[in-house]
Amino acid sequence: MINRYFFTIQFILILAMAAAPVDAFSQTKANARVVILPYEVYSEKDQDYLRTRIPEVLKTHLENEGAEIPEIEIPKGHPIEAAVKKSDIGTIREFGSDKQADYVIWGSITWLSGGFSLNSKLLTVNETGPPEIFYEEGDAVEALSSSVKALADKLILRIFKWESVAEVAVEGNRRIEDDAVTRVIRTKPGMRFSRNVISQDLKAVYNMGYFDDIRIESEDLPGGKRIVFHVKEKPTIRKISVKGARAIEEPKILENLTIKTGSILNVFEIYKNMKQIELLYKEKNYHNVQVSYDIIDLDHNQADLEFIVSEGEKLMIKSITFLGNKSFSTEELQDLMKTKEKNFMSWLTSRGELKRDQLEQDVAVIRSHYLNNGYMEVKISDPLIEMEDKWIHVTIKIEENRRYKIRKVDVAGDMIISRDKLFEKLKIPKKEFYDHDARRRDIMTIQDLYSDEGYAFVNVSTDLDQDEQAGVVDIVYHIDKGKQVYFERIIIGGNTITRDKVIRRQLHVYEQELYSSQKIQRSLRNLHRLDYFEEIRHNIYKGSADDKMVLKIDVKEKSTGMFTFGGGYSSVNKLFMQASVTQRNLFGRGQILSLKAEIGGTSNIYQLSFTEPWLFDIPLSAGVDLHNWVSDYDTYDKDRKGGGVRLGYRIFDYTNIYLRYIYDIVTLEKIEEDASQLVKDMAGENVTSSISMSLSYDSRDRIFNPTEGADHRFTVEYAGIGGDVGFTKYTVSSGYYIPLLKALEDAVPEHISGIVGFLHGEGGYAQENAGGILPDYERFYLGGMNSLRGFDWRDIHCFDDDGAEIGGDKYVQFNAEILFPLLPDVGVVGVLFYDTGNVYNNNEALDMADLRQTAGFGFRWYSPMGPIRIESGYILDRKEGENRGGKWDFTMGTAF
């Protein structure tokens, strides 16, 4: 049934042409001989050229239709002119007879103030009647051409006795409107009736693809022919299905088709969609795929369409061959490519699949590799792709040409720092061979240096003087610094919730200040760290003068409210759940309001906090906290109620100092026999009144999954300002995020990126004040998601003299992580980690050889719901009685 509709249409077309009435479709052109006389011109202007020009145009139109127009010369004063002026029909008829003409045409054009009148006469030579008269009018000289054409059409109809079309109709159509058909046909009312045009119209209607049957009939009317297009519409598609598809799921194929259920069955659309299915398969390297179709007729003028796919075998890359490479081996060049040859792991990794876009990028990487190693004139051809049976062979031709060493590097033009200091920052002077990327980075370095001094429009160009014979190149950077530029205005846009001042206080650029690209980048980094915005864009425009510019920052806000939840299982806390509700940009003022809760088998924690980050519109933060913490430890229960106030101030770039006062009432109860003596001595209610000071340095580019920056903190807490508890506690932590491949940018392929290393260390020491107590719950324990993963929370502890569990008075902890993108487009990151650390009691010295060790892996995703962490650790130095670890800990969040 595949071509049934095509053959049906073709047969109907032939039948219609054969059965058409003779009077409707046969148009015999008689070879009429026509004499055209000069036209009289009546005009105040000199337009005498129309005397012969109008006959020439008429002659062209008539000859195109088959008329024979003899060449005659009628100069002014010829006797026939007098006969025309006197309307001497006898003399004109005799003149036409002498010229053996069937018809004589003459006339005049009269120009009036409102336009022109074109008067023409047609005399039949072999008849005795008067001439027939034809008129055309126009309102401007521009209309004369169309008027002469209209006159010619009327004369042609009369001379050849052709019939005109009085009406065009469409019948039999139910879904397709008449206008859709009449738009594609040339036959229109008022036109002469033409078999050739009708034939073309039949093809045009067929090519619409909407009809099974098309017949054309004509009937005579007083004013001409009535042309009727009788059509029979094709069925509509009830259902579309795909048979034989395995490599691509049917829904995926259907969503890529342009033909849909409910549309009219169109053979041309079917063929177009067959090609689309083939393209989908070829993109997956099924280059031998074949697609056909079948139509299942149904009642009520409906049909089901089924595409039939014969996939064939998947073609894989068997060989990637380089021709002409002498300086780099085939293996070295293949290592630069993401396109790979098939191997035994291809079923899992998709290695060996041909992706043409990726192959083009690979060629660009290879070209860059040559350019970065001195081959300034390297030529690499487009890959030759050959397919043989089930294999693909890729051949890349390389013409390396000469390798160029760097002989001299110089800087010319406007200098704002010494040449020696500038050369310290450049990479090219340190290279032996020409390096295209190094040159590009040098240009950017110079531009950044100058733009930070206000030269926003600095222009840096490069002269390369190649000595082909010696194989050396001289490089000169030309610097045109231009004018120093100031910020005329800074415009903030796109913020509908966040107030302008909340954004502006994060900026390091100010109006009427010198332009600085470094300060712009620092400002954008600060805005990203706020985590208020889904997107931040900036543009720079020229201001009211050459030395002024406008900075426009557009933001796209995102939800800053967060509902987070998480959970886990530990031998101490059993099954527990954590939840929090946080608004980090309260009322668009940048204020933070947070309510947190943790409910588990052994503890319930509730916390409420409020932070104003810019008190009095200066970088002075202030906050208040309230908490209620009920914990069921192995040997006692703790009920902690209290609160505190805090202040923070930014003293340097990235550096803040914090002060905090805390007042707590802690009740210890349900104390077990095996509890430590320290716990037993503190049974009942204990009051803690403490003050702490912290110094913090945080230059991370973002809070979750940073890619670079550092996070350091030192804290001292003194308890004993009244109350029962008295101690001094010192803690310090330091963390670095290092973009590993940025540090190794000269040693790895340029197209690999995104791997970040994280190094973290922390430690603490606590001691009792004179006459005070250091409670167990203020001592140090390790284990858990933010400590040593693989151990449960508080799993790492010490023992007192009686062998009871107790926290240490000092501890150390180190963490190392490698974070690598798994799905960069959606922000999924993988992590490999190593944790080590331990806690020590009063009489124990720090023993770095006795550190506990764990390692593991996990996943992190900054999802639309908020940050998600899932991690599993394993104990590397398991002791007797300890589990191996391997449990999963997780935290999740949902934005609102």
mmCIF file of all heavy atoms in Angstrom, residues 669-709:
data_model
loop_
_atom_site.group_PDB
_atom_site.id
_atom_site.type_symbol
_atom_site.label_atom_id
_atom_site.label_comp_id
_atom_site.label_asym_id
_atom_site.label_seq_id
_atom_site.Cartn_x
_atom_site.Cartn_y
_atom_site.Cartn_z
ATOM 1 N N GLU A 669 19.908 14.975 83.213
ATOM 2 C CA GLU A 669 19.039 14.077 83.965
ATOM 3 C C GLU A 669 19.099 12.683 83.366
ATOM 4 O O GLU A 669 19.707 12.472 82.317
ATOM 5 C CB GLU A 669 17.610 14.617 83.985
ATOM 6 C CG GLU A 669 17.036 14.890 82.608
ATOM 7 C CD GLU A 669 15.702 15.622 82.664
ATOM 8 O OE1 GLU A 669 15.267 16.004 83.757
ATOM 9 O OE2 GLU A 669 15.106 15.823 81.575
ATOM 10 N N LYS A 670 18.441 11.747 84.039
ATOM 11 C CA LYS A 670 18.449 10.339 83.618
ATOM 12 C C LYS A 670 19.872 9.830 83.400
ATOM 13 O O LYS A 670 20.211 9.247 82.365
ATOM 14 C CB LYS A 670 17.620 10.155 82.342
ATOM 15 C CG LYS A 670 16.140 10.481 82.519
ATOM 16 C CD LYS A 670 15.360 10.219 81.239
ATOM 17 C CE LYS A 670 13.885 10.550 81.412
ATOM 18 N NZ LYS A 670 13.108 10.319 80.177
ATOM 19 N N ILE A 671 20.714 10.118 84.377
ATOM 20 C CA ILE A 671 22.125 9.756 84.282
ATOM 21 C C ILE A 671 22.304 8.279 84.619
ATOM 22 O O ILE A 671 21.845 7.791 85.671
ATOM 23 C CB ILE A 671 22.966 10.641 85.224
ATOM 24 C CG1 ILE A 671 22.788 12.116 84.831
ATOM 25 C CG2 ILE A 671 24.429 10.236 85.183
ATOM 26 C CD1 ILE A 671 23.449 13.085 85.788
ATOM 27 N N GLU A 672 22.984 7.537 83.718
ATOM 28 C CA GLU A 672 23.197 6.111 83.881
ATOM 29 C C GLU A 672 24.381 5.846 84.824
ATOM 30 O O GLU A 672 25.246 6.711 85.046
ATOM 31 C CB GLU A 672 23.469 5.448 82.520
ATOM 32 C CG GLU A 672 22.380 5.658 81.488
ATOM 33 C CD GLU A 672 21.135 4.846 81.799
ATOM 34 O OE1 GLU A 672 21.252 3.869 82.584
ATOM 35 O OE2 GLU A 672 20.056 5.185 81.271
ATOM 36 N N GLU A 673 24.441 4.617 85.329
ATOM 37 C CA GLU A 673 25.507 4.220 86.245
ATOM 38 C C GLU A 673 26.880 4.276 85.573
ATOM 39 O O GLU A 673 27.882 4.611 86.197
ATOM 40 C CB GLU A 673 25.268 2.802 86.785
ATOM 41 C CG GLU A 673 24.342 2.723 87.962
ATOM 42 C CD GLU A 673 24.874 3.457 89.178
ATOM 43 O OE1 GLU A 673 26.103 3.390 89.432
ATOM 44 O OE2 GLU A 673 24.085 4.133 89.849
ATOM 45 N N ASP A 674 26.914 3.931 84.274
ATOM 46 C CA ASP A 674 28.206 3.895 83.586
ATOM 47 C C ASP A 674 28.605 5.240 83.010
ATOM 48 O O ASP A 674 29.545 5.334 82.226
ATOM 49 C CB ASP A 674 28.200 2.835 82.487
ATOM 50 C CG ASP A 674 27.090 3.063 81.468
ATOM 51 O OD1 ASP A 674 26.201 3.908 81.735
ATOM 52 O OD2 ASP A 674 27.104 2.389 80.408
ATOM 53 N N ALA A 675 27.882 6.307 83.353
ATOM 54 C CA ALA A 675 28.268 7.647 82.909
ATOM 55 C C ALA A 675 29.553 8.061 83.599
ATOM 56 O O ALA A 675 29.906 7.575 84.693
ATOM 57 C CB ALA A 675 27.156 8.638 83.216
ATOM 58 N N SER A 676 30.276 8.981 82.985
ATOM 59 C CA SER A 676 31.513 9.466 83.581
ATOM 60 C C SER A 676 31.214 10.256 84.845
ATOM 61 O O SER A 676 30.121 10.782 85.041
ATOM 62 C CB SER A 676 32.259 10.344 82.569
ATOM 63 O OG SER A 676 31.518 11.543 82.316
ATOM 64 N N GLN A 677 32.220 10.345 85.689
ATOM 65 C CA GLN A 677 32.046 11.076 86.948
ATOM 66 C C GLN A 677 31.762 12.539 86.683
ATOM 67 O O GLN A 677 31.022 13.195 87.432
ATOM 68 C CB GLN A 677 33.304 10.919 87.817
ATOM 69 C CG GLN A 677 33.144 11.452 89.235
ATOM 70 C CD GLN A 677 32.039 10.742 89.987
ATOM 71 O OE1 GLN A 677 31.925 9.507 89.938
ATOM 72 N NE2 GLN A 677 31.196 11.491 90.692
ATOM 73 N N LEU A 678 32.335 13.062 85.598
ATOM 74 C CA LEU A 678 32.106 14.464 85.232
ATOM 75 C C LEU A 678 30.630 14.719 85.002
ATOM 76 O O LEU A 678 30.078 15.739 85.447
ATOM 77 C CB LEU A 678 32.921 14.824 83.986
ATOM 78 C CG LEU A 678 32.715 16.237 83.430
ATOM 79 C CD1 LEU A 678 33.134 17.295 84.446
ATOM 80 C CD2 LEU A 678 33.525 16.423 82.123
ATOM 81 N N VAL A 679 29.968 13.801 84.333
ATOM 82 C CA VAL A 679 28.539 13.947 84.060
ATOM 83 C C VAL A 679 27.746 13.841 85.369
ATOM 84 O O VAL A 679 26.816 14.634 85.622
ATOM 85 C CB VAL A 679 28.069 12.888 83.048
ATOM 86 C CG1 VAL A 679 26.550 12.903 82.906
ATOM 87 C CG2 VAL A 679 28.731 13.115 81.684
ATOM 88 N N LYS A 680 28.113 12.889 86.199
ATOM 89 C CA LYS A 680 27.386 12.715 87.456
ATOM 90 C C LYS A 680 27.512 13.940 88.347
ATOM 91 O O LYS A 680 26.550 14.330 89.028
ATOM 92 C CB LYS A 680 27.915 11.478 88.187
ATOM 93 C CG LYS A 680 27.630 10.168 87.464
ATOM 94 C CD LYS A 680 28.272 8.991 88.171
ATOM 95 C CE LYS A 680 27.997 7.677 87.448
ATOM 96 N NZ LYS A 680 28.661 6.514 88.113
ATOM 97 N N ASP A 681 28.699 14.566 88.347
ATOM 98 C CA ASP A 681 28.911 15.739 89.196
ATOM 99 C C ASP A 681 28.072 16.926 88.750
ATOM 100 O O ASP A 681 27.840 17.863 89.530
ATOM 101 C CB ASP A 681 30.385 16.124 89.195
ATOM 102 C CG ASP A 681 31.245 15.099 89.922
ATOM 103 O OD1 ASP A 681 30.670 14.293 90.687
ATOM 104 O OD2 ASP A 681 32.473 15.102 89.699
ATOM 105 N N MET A 682 27.635 16.926 87.464
ATOM 106 C CA MET A 682 26.880 18.067 86.933
ATOM 107 C C MET A 682 25.389 17.764 86.834
ATOM 108 O O MET A 682 24.649 18.455 86.117
ATOM 109 C CB MET A 682 27.421 18.469 85.551
ATOM 110 C CG MET A 682 28.857 18.957 85.586
ATOM 111 S SD MET A 682 29.375 19.691 84.029
ATOM 112 C CE MET A 682 28.401 21.176 84.007
ATOM 113 N N ALA A 683 24.910 16.759 87.541
ATOM 114 C CA ALA A 683 23.486 16.422 87.497
ATOM 115 C C ALA A 683 22.654 17.612 87.948
ATOM 116 O O ALA A 683 23.019 18.340 88.875
ATOM 117 C CB ALA A 683 23.227 15.222 88.401
ATOM 118 N N GLY A 684 21.553 17.844 87.246
ATOM 119 C CA GLY A 684 20.683 18.969 87.561
ATOM 120 C C GLY A 684 20.921 20.133 86.618
ATOM 121 O O GLY A 684 21.338 19.974 85.475
ATOM 122 N N GLU A 685 20.669 21.359 87.120
ATOM 123 C CA GLU A 685 20.680 22.551 86.278
ATOM 124 C C GLU A 685 22.038 23.236 86.343
ATOM 125 O O GLU A 685 22.614 23.429 87.419
ATOM 126 C CB GLU A 685 19.581 23.498 86.742
ATOM 127 C CG GLU A 685 19.226 24.573 85.758
ATOM 128 C CD GLU A 685 17.999 25.359 86.211
ATOM 129 O OE1 GLU A 685 16.865 24.933 85.879
ATOM 130 O OE2 GLU A 685 18.171 26.383 86.906
ATOM 131 N N ASN A 686 22.559 23.635 85.149
ATOM 132 C CA ASN A 686 23.843 24.325 85.035
ATOM 133 C C ASN A 686 23.674 25.527 84.120
ATOM 134 O O ASN A 686 23.042 25.429 83.060
ATOM 135 C CB ASN A 686 24.918 23.400 84.464
ATOM 136 C CG ASN A 686 25.098 22.132 85.273
ATOM 137 O OD1 ASN A 686 25.847 22.093 86.232
ATOM 138 N ND2 ASN A 686 24.380 21.074 84.867
ATOM 139 N N VAL A 687 24.247 26.656 84.526
ATOM 140 C CA VAL A 687 24.122 27.901 83.760
ATOM 141 C C VAL A 687 25.469 28.221 83.121
ATOM 142 O O VAL A 687 26.516 28.227 83.783
ATOM 143 C CB VAL A 687 23.669 29.065 84.657
ATOM 144 C CG1 VAL A 687 23.664 30.369 83.867
ATOM 145 C CG2 VAL A 687 22.296 28.780 85.242
ATOM 146 N N THR A 688 25.403 28.499 81.794
ATOM 147 C CA THR A 688 26.591 28.912 81.050
ATOM 148 C C THR A 688 26.378 30.325 80.549
ATOM 149 O O THR A 688 25.385 30.610 79.871
ATOM 150 C CB THR A 688 26.866 27.977 79.861
ATOM 151 O OG1 THR A 688 27.038 26.655 80.331
ATOM 152 C CG2 THR A 688 28.100 28.421 79.096
ATOM 153 N N SER A 689 27.302 31.198 80.853
ATOM 154 C CA SER A 689 27.291 32.578 80.351
ATOM 155 C C SER A 689 28.658 32.816 79.724
ATOM 156 O O SER A 689 29.677 32.849 80.415
ATOM 157 C CB SER A 689 27.035 33.563 81.493
ATOM 158 O OG SER A 689 27.089 34.896 81.016
ATOM 159 N N SER A 690 28.665 32.926 78.359
ATOM 160 C CA SER A 690 29.959 32.994 77.670
ATOM 161 C C SER A 690 29.960 34.073 76.613
ATOM 162 O O SER A 690 28.921 34.502 76.115
ATOM 163 C CB SER A 690 30.288 31.635 77.031
ATOM 164 O OG SER A 690 29.429 31.381 75.945
ATOM 165 N N ILE A 691 31.174 34.486 76.267
ATOM 166 C CA ILE A 691 31.382 35.428 75.185
ATOM 167 C C ILE A 691 32.458 34.841 74.273
ATOM 168 O O ILE A 691 33.407 34.194 74.751
ATOM 169 C CB ILE A 691 31.789 36.827 75.710
ATOM 170 C CG1 ILE A 691 31.799 37.838 74.559
ATOM 171 C CG2 ILE A 691 33.127 36.786 76.439
ATOM 172 C CD1 ILE A 691 31.928 39.277 75.032
ATOM 173 N N SER A 692 32.272 35.020 72.977
ATOM 174 C CA SER A 692 33.253 34.482 72.027
ATOM 175 C C SER A 692 33.601 35.528 70.990
ATOM 176 O O SER A 692 32.822 36.447 70.702
ATOM 177 C CB SER A 692 32.714 33.218 71.340
ATOM 178 O OG SER A 692 31.587 33.529 70.559
ATOM 179 N N MET A 693 34.807 35.383 70.436
ATOM 180 C CA MET A 693 35.294 36.256 69.368
ATOM 181 C C MET A 693 35.828 35.377 68.245
ATOM 182 O O MET A 693 36.559 34.419 68.487
ATOM 183 C CB MET A 693 36.388 37.182 69.886
ATOM 184 C CG MET A 693 36.871 38.228 68.870
ATOM 185 S SD MET A 693 38.180 37.624 67.764
ATOM 186 C CE MET A 693 39.531 37.471 68.905
ATOM 187 N N SER A 694 35.421 35.719 67.011
ATOM 188 C CA SER A 694 35.872 34.948 65.844
ATOM 189 C C SER A 694 36.454 35.884 64.804
ATOM 190 O O SER A 694 35.963 37.004 64.610
ATOM 191 C CB SER A 694 34.717 34.153 65.224
ATOM 192 O OG SER A 694 34.199 33.225 66.134
ATOM 193 N N LEU A 695 37.473 35.405 64.133
ATOM 194 C CA LEU A 695 38.050 36.115 63.001
ATOM 195 C C LEU A 695 37.901 35.203 61.794
ATOM 196 O O LEU A 695 38.340 34.042 61.817
ATOM 197 C CB LEU A 695 39.522 36.430 63.256
ATOM 198 C CG LEU A 695 40.224 37.317 62.224
ATOM 199 C CD1 LEU A 695 39.596 38.713 62.205
ATOM 200 C CD2 LEU A 695 41.720 37.409 62.527
ATOM 201 N N SER A 696 37.267 35.709 60.738
ATOM 202 C CA SER A 696 36.917 34.864 59.578
ATOM 203 C C SER A 696 37.420 35.487 58.297
ATOM 204 O O SER A 696 37.312 36.707 58.086
ATOM 205 C CB SER A 696 35.391 34.686 59.509
ATOM 206 O OG SER A 696 35.013 34.086 58.298
ATOM 207 N N TYR A 697 37.971 34.632 57.437
ATOM 208 C CA TYR A 697 38.357 35.025 56.074
ATOM 209 C C TYR A 697 37.669 34.061 55.117
ATOM 210 O O TYR A 697 37.887 32.849 55.186
ATOM 211 C CB TYR A 697 39.875 34.965 55.894
ATOM 212 C CG TYR A 697 40.322 35.274 54.475
ATOM 213 C CD1 TYR A 697 40.570 36.576 54.065
ATOM 214 C CD2 TYR A 697 40.498 34.253 53.535
ATOM 215 C CE1 TYR A 697 40.978 36.868 52.771
ATOM 216 C CE2 TYR A 697 40.901 34.517 52.240
ATOM 217 C CZ TYR A 697 41.136 35.827 51.861
ATOM 218 O OH TYR A 697 41.524 36.119 50.570
ATOM 219 N N ASP A 698 36.830 34.567 54.208
ATOM 220 C CA ASP A 698 36.050 33.713 53.303
ATOM 221 C C ASP A 698 36.061 34.321 51.914
ATOM 222 O O ASP A 698 35.403 35.322 51.640
ATOM 223 C CB ASP A 698 34.609 33.580 53.802
ATOM 224 C CG ASP A 698 33.799 32.570 52.999
ATOM 225 O OD1 ASP A 698 34.318 32.070 51.985
ATOM 226 O OD2 ASP A 698 32.646 32.299 53.383
ATOM 227 N N SER A 699 36.826 33.722 51.004
ATOM 228 C CA SER A 699 36.908 34.218 49.623
ATOM 229 C C SER A 699 36.342 33.213 48.625
ATOM 230 O O SER A 699 36.647 33.284 47.427
ATOM 231 C CB SER A 699 38.368 34.523 49.262
ATOM 232 O OG SER A 699 39.151 33.335 49.305
ATOM 233 N N ARG A 700 35.518 32.271 49.098
ATOM 234 C CA ARG A 700 34.925 31.289 48.179
ATOM 235 C C ARG A 700 34.056 31.992 47.146
ATOM 236 O O ARG A 700 33.392 32.993 47.454
ATOM 237 C CB ARG A 700 34.078 30.286 48.959
ATOM 238 C CG ARG A 700 34.871 29.365 49.866
ATOM 239 C CD ARG A 700 33.951 28.504 50.702
ATOM 240 N NE ARG A 700 33.185 29.307 51.650
ATOM 241 C CZ ARG A 700 32.203 28.816 52.404
ATOM 242 N NH1 ARG A 700 31.887 27.523 52.308
ATOM 243 N NH2 ARG A 700 31.551 29.601 53.242
ATOM 244 N N ASP A 701 34.071 31.458 45.902
ATOM 245 C CA ASP A 701 33.275 32.094 44.859
ATOM 246 C C ASP A 701 31.794 31.831 45.038
ATOM 247 O O ASP A 701 30.961 32.581 44.547
ATOM 248 C CB ASP A 701 33.745 31.656 43.458
ATOM 249 C CG ASP A 701 33.710 30.146 43.263
ATOM 250 O OD1 ASP A 701 33.544 29.419 44.265
ATOM 251 O OD2 ASP A 701 33.852 29.693 42.109
ATOM 252 N N ARG A 702 31.422 30.753 45.721
ATOM 253 C CA ARG A 702 30.038 30.502 46.095
ATOM 254 C C ARG A 702 30.039 29.559 47.290
ATOM 255 O O ARG A 702 31.026 28.907 47.589
ATOM 256 C CB ARG A 702 29.230 29.930 44.930
ATOM 257 C CG ARG A 702 29.795 28.714 44.242
ATOM 258 C CD ARG A 702 28.875 28.251 43.121
ATOM 259 N NE ARG A 702 29.401 27.111 42.415
ATOM 260 C CZ ARG A 702 29.966 27.158 41.216
ATOM 261 N NH1 ARG A 702 30.089 28.337 40.614
ATOM 262 N NH2 ARG A 702 30.401 26.066 40.621
ATOM 263 N N ILE A 703 28.903 29.508 47.979
ATOM 264 C CA ILE A 703 28.848 28.778 49.237
ATOM 265 C C ILE A 703 28.743 27.275 49.010
ATOM 266 O O ILE A 703 29.398 26.482 49.682
ATOM 267 C CB ILE A 703 27.658 29.279 50.088
ATOM 268 C CG1 ILE A 703 27.793 30.788 50.327
ATOM 269 C CG2 ILE A 703 27.603 28.535 51.422
ATOM 270 C CD1 ILE A 703 29.084 31.210 50.986
ATOM 271 N N PHE A 704 27.904 26.860 48.049
ATOM 272 C CA PHE A 704 27.725 25.429 47.776
ATOM 273 C C PHE A 704 28.514 25.051 46.531
ATOM 274 O O PHE A 704 28.424 25.708 45.496
ATOM 275 C CB PHE A 704 26.242 25.121 47.580
ATOM 276 C CG PHE A 704 25.948 23.649 47.502
ATOM 277 C CD1 PHE A 704 25.863 22.878 48.650
ATOM 278 C CD2 PHE A 704 25.751 23.020 46.279
ATOM 279 C CE1 PHE A 704 25.594 21.522 48.594
ATOM 280 C CE2 PHE A 704 25.479 21.669 46.212
ATOM 281 C CZ PHE A 704 25.407 20.923 47.383
ATOM 282 N N ASN A 705 29.325 23.969 46.640
ATOM 283 C CA ASN A 705 30.184 23.521 45.538
ATOM 284 C C ASN A 705 31.069 24.656 45.006
ATOM 285 O O ASN A 705 31.027 24.989 43.815
ATOM 286 C CB ASN A 705 29.356 22.940 44.400
ATOM 287 C CG ASN A 705 28.859 21.548 44.695
ATOM 288 O OD1 ASN A 705 29.276 20.922 45.663
ATOM 289 N ND2 ASN A 705 27.941 21.060 43.881
ATOM 290 N N PRO A 706 31.893 25.278 45.863
ATOM 291 C CA PRO A 706 32.796 26.320 45.358
ATOM 292 C C PRO A 706 33.794 25.727 44.370
ATOM 293 O O PRO A 706 34.083 24.528 44.390
ATOM 294 C CB PRO A 706 33.510 26.820 46.626
ATOM 295 C CG PRO A 706 32.701 26.307 47.776
ATOM 296 C CD PRO A 706 32.062 25.048 47.301
ATOM 297 N N THR A 707 34.331 26.585 43.513
ATOM 298 C CA THR A 707 35.351 26.147 42.568
ATOM 299 C C THR A 707 36.714 26.751 42.878
ATOM 300 O O THR A 707 37.734 26.267 42.389
ATOM 301 C CB THR A 707 34.956 26.521 41.135
ATOM 302 O OG1 THR A 707 34.819 27.951 41.040
ATOM 303 C CG2 THR A 707 33.633 25.873 40.750
ATOM 304 N N GLU A 708 36.742 27.805 43.685
ATOM 305 C CA GLU A 708 38.009 28.378 44.104
ATOM 306 C C GLU A 708 37.769 29.267 45.318
ATOM 307 O O GLU A 708 36.638 29.631 45.633
ATOM 308 C CB GLU A 708 38.641 29.197 42.967
ATOM 309 C CG GLU A 708 37.802 30.363 42.481
ATOM 310 C CD GLU A 708 38.481 31.117 41.360
ATOM 311 O OE1 GLU A 708 39.688 30.889 41.152
ATOM 312 O OE2 GLU A 708 37.826 31.938 40.722
ATOM 313 N N GLY A 709 38.870 29.594 46.019
ATOM 314 C CA GLY A 709 38.761 30.459 47.183
ATOM 315 C C GLY A 709 39.183 29.734 48.451
ATOM 316 O O GLY A 709 39.570 28.555 48.442
#
